[in-house]
């Protein structure tokens, strides 16, 4: 058994003890949103006073047809809002969010990650930090297990390095890389360890004439609370372990409620929900639709015209917004219909220039390849639950809290198709994510679904008291991978399991 679990359970038992003062915590949570933070947070930051920033795109060195990068995880500092002092962050290359990687289909990328993060003093002494090493996971990628950022494959502090190799043989899509330290993913992603990775396929995207250049814009949406000193607040306590951590301010690309000047044209937004646990319902204040062209795993078959769009933690949406009909001076707010007060508005688009737009939203995007359900032989059930283990109330899959010493919860065979049934009897939604694959959503609560409507997914929300069935095709890679709830506090508090892909018998 790995040590972190023990340390973990000790932390939890501490909260379990603290459970006696729950009523007090609740009162506090009521006056400070629902994050259960015990330090006072800054409130009332003015919206739309800072311009949107775009994370820089890193330039690779090309060595033997492999685009190679070096990144360093280190402390940095960032201004998130005009009226806030600088916030200390943990970032890839010391920035928040991390730099964007632009990859090309069938052209491999190698990233050597170096860990120059500060080691916390408690860990230093106990040696338990040895198992709390940061691993880097490329979310949505089809990669060999040793490049997947398995929590057991963390990078040592003090300048340790690891090379990750991404073959990029899969469908083009927006992926993201983020920390995957077991038991600390929530805290470390919140500190800033996340960035975007766009996998392009010129043969498809160029023909479609989608908005590009300055009109293709990444939007990484995250929520944070700031202490009076401008630092990120984070708290693990019974309410945050139950519902997940939520911040009181919405940030896009590291800026609190930014504004973005736009021209009267079509824009393509690569939206990522990089929040620990908050689900957004995106909509435009103008009443204009969001035109969704892609999901986690790439382009849809045809665009979908939506009044609002739900985005759970780790989900991506590729959307087009048409600003062509708006008068100069218009201001359009990207709203979060799930929010209230400071969490109701995400950012604002300001129409500042009239141009002639010649592009159109294509009527057809890419052929849909439906997985053949009849070929699926294995059906697996995964029950998601909240239960008391060793005196702490935590999250489990099939009765098990994650421990890398556990036997895998599933052992699919290479190139096989399987039905995975997620059964959620709890009163919380669980955005369930599988590493290694993009899957199709085939059934919700017994009602057959049209998978092409959902598009390719690596994360699916399993609503409270619901059952969701997905169809998964395992590819050529064998080995151990994790799957988990992407509410990061649920993940850290053990709602994770492993599957082991086996070679053909
Ligand atoms: Cu973004 Cu293991 O996940
Ligand atoms: Cu992942
Ligand atoms: Cu969950």
């Amino acid at each position: 058994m790995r040590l972190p679990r023990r340390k973990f359970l000790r932390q939890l038992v501490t909260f379990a003890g603290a459970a006696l003062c729950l009523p007090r915590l609740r009162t506090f949570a009521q006056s400070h949103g629902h994050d259960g933070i015990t330090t006072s947070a800054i409130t009332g930051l003015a919206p739309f006073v800072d311009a949107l920033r775009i994370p820089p795109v890193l330039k690779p060195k090309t060595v033997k047809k492999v685009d190679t990068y070096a990144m360093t995880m280190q402390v940095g500092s960032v201004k998130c809002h005009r009226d806030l002092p600088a916030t200390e962050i943990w970032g890839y290359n010391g920035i928040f969010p991390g730099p964007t990687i632009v990859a090309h289909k069938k052209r491999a990328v190698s990233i050597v990650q170096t860990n120059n993060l500060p080691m916390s003093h408690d860990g230093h002494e106990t040696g338990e930090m040895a198992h709390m090493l940061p691993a880097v996971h490329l979310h949505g990628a089809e990669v060999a297990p040793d490049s997947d950022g398995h929590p057991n494959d963390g990078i040592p502090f003090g300048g340790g390095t690891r090379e990750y190799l991404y073959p990029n043989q899969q469908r083009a899509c927006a992926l993201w890389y983020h920390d995957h330290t077991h038991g600390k993913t929530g805290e470390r992603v919140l500190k800033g360890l996340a960035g975007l990775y766009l996998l392009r396929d010129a043969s498809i995207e160029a023909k479609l004439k989608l908005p590009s250049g300055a009109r293709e814009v990444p939007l990484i949406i995250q929520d944070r609370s700031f202490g009076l000193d401008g630092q990120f607040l984070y708290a693990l306590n019974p309410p945050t372990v139950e519902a997940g951590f939520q911040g009181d301010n919405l940030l896009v690309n590291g800026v609190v409620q930014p504004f973005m000047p736009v021209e009267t044209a079509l824009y393509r937004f690569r939206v990522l929900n990089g929040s620990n646990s908050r689900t957004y319902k995106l909509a435009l204040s103008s009443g204009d639709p969001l035109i969704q062209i892609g999901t986690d795993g790439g382009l849809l078959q045809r665009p979908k015209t939506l009044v609002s769009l739900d985005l759970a933690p780790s989900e991506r949406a590729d959307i087009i917004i048409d600003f062509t009909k708006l008068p100069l001076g218009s201001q359009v707010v990207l709203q979060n219909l799930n929010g209230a007060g400071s969490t109701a508005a995400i950012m604002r688009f300001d129409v500042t220039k009239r141009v002639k737009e010649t592009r159109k939203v294509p009527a057809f995007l890419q052929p849909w390849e439906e997985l053949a359900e009849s070929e699926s032989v294995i059906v697996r059930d995964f029950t998601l639950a909240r239960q008391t283990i060793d005196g702490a109330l935590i999250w489990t899959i099939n009765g098990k809290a994650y421990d890398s010493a556990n036997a895998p919860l599933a052992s699919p065979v290479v190139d096989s198709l399987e039905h995975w049934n997620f059964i959620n009897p709890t009163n919380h939604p669980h955005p369930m994510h599988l590493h290694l694959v993009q899957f199709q959503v085939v059934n919700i609560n017994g009602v057959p679904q049209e998978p092409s409507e959902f598009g390719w997914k690596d994360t699916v929300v399993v609503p409270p008291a619901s059952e969701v069935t997905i169809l998964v095709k395992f590819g050529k890679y064998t080995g151990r991978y994790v799957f988990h709830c992407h509410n990061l506090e649920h993940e850290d508090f053990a709602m994770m399991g492993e599957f082991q892909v086996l070679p053909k018998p």
Side-chain angles (χ1 to χ4, degrees):
M1 151 156 167
R2 320 256 323 171
L3 274 170
R5 181 172 142 85
R6 211 173 268 152
K7 171 162 185 184
F8 205 62
L9 289 177
R10 212 182 305 131
Q11 281 176 1
L12 278 165
V13 170
T14 319
F15 310 164
L20 296 172
C21 13
L22 254 183
R24 200 164 50 101
L25 274 175
R26 282 231 181 85
T27 319
F28 187 85
Q30 274 162 10
S31 55
H32 288 79
H34 300 283
D35 51 17
I37 280 179
T38 50
T39 321
S40 36
I42 283 189
T43 55
L45 290 172
F48 320 129
V49 295
D50 298 280
L52 180 75
R53 291 194 289 256
I54 308 293
V57 175
L58 281 191
K59 284 214 169 46
K61 279 203 184 62
T62 303
V63 182
K64 294 190 186 135
K65 294 199 182 140
V66 176
D67 289 342
T68 67
Y69 298 88
M71 268 194 222
T72 304
M73 293 181 257
Q74 61 193 58
V75 169
S77 140
V78 60
K79 260 305 257 179
C80 297
H81 185 274
R82 181 191 69 189
D83 300 333
L84 281 176
T87 306
E88 183 178 294
I89 57 100
W90 281 17
Y92 296 103
N93 286 355
I95 62 172
F96 166 66
T100 298
I101 299 290
V102 175
H104 303 277
K105 186 160 172 168
K106 295 195 173 140
R107 183 182 179 96
V109 160
S110 147
I111 304 181
V112 176
Q113 292 279 2
T114 300
N115 177 6
N116 280 342
L117 295 168
M119 202 173 341
S120 73
H121 32 262
D122 59 320
H124 215 298
E125 270 99 86
T126 62
E128 288 178 353
M129 272 309 267
H131 296 289
M132 307 289 266
L133 303 182
V136 186
H137 169 57
L138 180 59
H139 179 124
E142 224 180 292
V143 297
D146 56 351
S147 283
D148 193 51
H150 188 287
N152 283 355
D153 295 334
I155 306 173
F157 284 89
T161 64
R162 186 179 180 97
E163 180 182 8
Y164 295 88
L165 193 66
Y166 306 124
N168 299 320
Q169 298 287 334
Q170 62 192 99
R171 230 168 279 102
C173 66
L175 305 121
W176 63 300
Y177 61 99
H178 65 75
D179 183 67
H180 220 297
T181 316
H182 179 48
K184 286 227 176 250
T185 299
E187 182 186 325
R188 291 180 176 173
V189 168
L190 184 122
K191 279 183 166 170
L193 290 171
L196 206 63
Y197 181 111
L198 297 175
L199 173 53
R200 298 195 181 288
D201 184 344
S203 70
I204 295 178
E205 287 171 284
K207 263 186 256 151
L208 292 173
K209 297 211 166 49
L210 298 171
S212 61
R215 295 198 192 141
E216 183 192 15
V217 184
L219 302 179
I220 304 172
I221 306 175
Q222 295 173 312
D223 56 343
R224 296 288 185 271
S225 284
F226 296 91
L228 298 177
D229 56 358
Q231 304 312 303
F232 292 148
L233 297 178
Y234 186 66
L236 287 173
N237 49 40
T240 59
V241 170
E242 180 179 352
F245 178 84
Q246 300 206 339
D248 298 332
N249 299 283
L250 303 186
L251 284 68
V252 183
N253 300 346
V255 182
V256 176
Q257 294 174 310
F259 67 87
M260 178 191 170
V262 295
E263 303 175 339
T264 53
L266 300 186
Y267 282 73
R268 179 184 188 190
F269 294 99
R270 314 298 298 265
V271 189
L272 159 68
N273 180 354
S275 309
N276 285 33
S277 77
R278 190 183 280 278
T279 292
Y280 301 92
K281 188 182 267 304
L282 308 179
L284 295 174
S285 62
S286 57
D288 288 329
L290 300 166
I291 304 160
Q292 186 173 18
I293 58 168
T295 57
D296 303 343
L299 292 172
L300 288 160
Q301 178 171 231
R302 290 192 175 82
K304 286 203 277 194
T305 302
L306 302 171
V307 179
S308 68
L309 189 161
D310 292 315
L311 210 60
S314 91
E315 285 187 305
R316 284 87 73 209
D318 198 344
I319 59 179
I320 289 181
I321 300 179
D322 180 349
F323 296 106
T324 55
K325 289 176 197 73
L326 294 171
L328 276 187
S330 311
Q331 298 181 325
V332 179
V333 174
L334 177 62
Q335 300 169 307
N336 168 30
L337 301 182
N338 287 342
S342 61
T343 60
I346 297 168
M347 64 179 292
R348 193 181 69 195
F349 303 106
D350 297 345
V351 181
T352 55
K353 194 173 168 203
R354 182 149 300 284
V355 294
K356 205 171 139 41
E357 176 61 288
T358 52
R359 293 181 192 243
K360 286 205 168 59
V361 181
F364 186 86
L365 297 160
Q366 116 179 311
W368 176 251
E369 301 155 58
E370 184 120 343
L371 296 172
E373 254 186 276
S374 54
E375 284 170 31
S376 165
V377 278
I378 300 219
V379 180
R380 301 184 195 272
D381 286 345
F382 298 97
T383 302
L384 313 171
R386 188 161 177 251
Q387 63 190 89
T388 302
I389 295 200
D390 295 353
L393 198 50
I394 58 168
W395 296 100
T396 59
I397 302 178
N398 285 353
K400 294 257 190 294
Y402 179 73
D403 185 324
S404 63
N406 289 348
L409 297 181
S411 299
V413 170
V414 287
D415 291 324
S416 67
L417 264 178
E418 296 199 349
H419 276 110
W420 283 29
N421 247 328
F422 292 112
I423 304 156
N424 178 11
T426 76
N427 55 358
H428 288 273
H430 300 290
M432 295 304 296
H433 166 56
L434 273 67
H435 285 211
L436 178 68
V437 292
Q438 294 291 334
F439 54 73
Q440 298 187 351
V441 179
V442 296
N443 197 297
I444 298 180
N445 290 325
V447 182
Q449 303 293 311
E450 179 50 64
S452 65
E453 284 295 304
F454 291 83
W456 290 100
K457 298 288 295 166
D458 57 45
T459 303
V460 66
V461 176
V462 187
S466 296
E467 250 185 80
V468 172
T469 308
I470 59 171
L471 187 58
V472 192
K473 166 114 192 179
F474 293 90
K476 63 173 181 179
Y477 293 107
T478 57
R480 283 172 88 119
Y481 297 87
V482 296
F483 67 103
H484 55 88
C485 177
H486 223 289
N487 174 319
L488 297 183
E489 286 68 40
H490 292 183
E491 174 189 343
D492 281 340
F493 289 91
M495 193 175 250
M496 178 154 84
E498 288 189 0
F499 59 93
Q500 178 166 25
V501 187
L502 302 173
K504 281 227 168 74

